[in-house]
Amino acid sequence: MSLWKYKYFLDVVELKSFTKAGARNYVTQTAVSQQIASLEKMAGGTLLERGNAEICLTELGEIVYEYARGIFSIGDTITTGKA
């Protein structure tokens, strides 16, 4: 399991852009898209609705988003020592 998939996913959701998420992580938009597609395959469904020039979470996407936030929240706690 690559944590990058989850990091890119969080960034896409928060920035509402694959291109901006790529720029934040110093990778191309294509790399972000590929990682999101891989995460969707692992999750067994679509995580993001990409229509109407807006990115929205699907029901499954909301579950994965909360899971990913939890992963990185724990990481922040470990590195900063603050809960």
Side-chain angles (χ1 to χ4, degrees):
M1 171 182 72
S2 169
L3 290 179
W4 286 110
K5 291 178 189 351
Y6 295 99
K7 173 71 167 102
Y8 295 165
F9 177 65
L10 287 173
D11 288 344
V12 167
V13 172
E14 291 168 7
L15 298 170
K16 302 209 178 289
S17 167
F18 283 78
T19 302
K20 290 177 184 176
R24 176 181 278 181
N25 293 285
Y26 305 101
V27 297
T28 65
Q29 173 271 326
T30 302
V32 172
S33 294
Q34 289 172 342
Q35 291 298 312
I36 299 295
S38 175
L39 185 59
E40 287 177 325
K41 187 174 181 181
M42 286 174 42
T46 303
L47 302 177
L48 300 167
E49 293 291 333
R50 298 164 174 90
N52 298 330
E54 187 175 332
I55 297 172
C56 300
L57 288 168
T58 63
E59 188 173 330
L60 178 59
E62 289 179 26
I63 294 167
V64 173
Y65 179 75
E66 290 304 319
Y67 174 76
R69 282 186 47 201
I71 290 171
F72 285 93
S73 175
I74 291 167
D76 289 344
T77 300
I78 291 168
T79 57
T80 63
K82 297 177 184 176

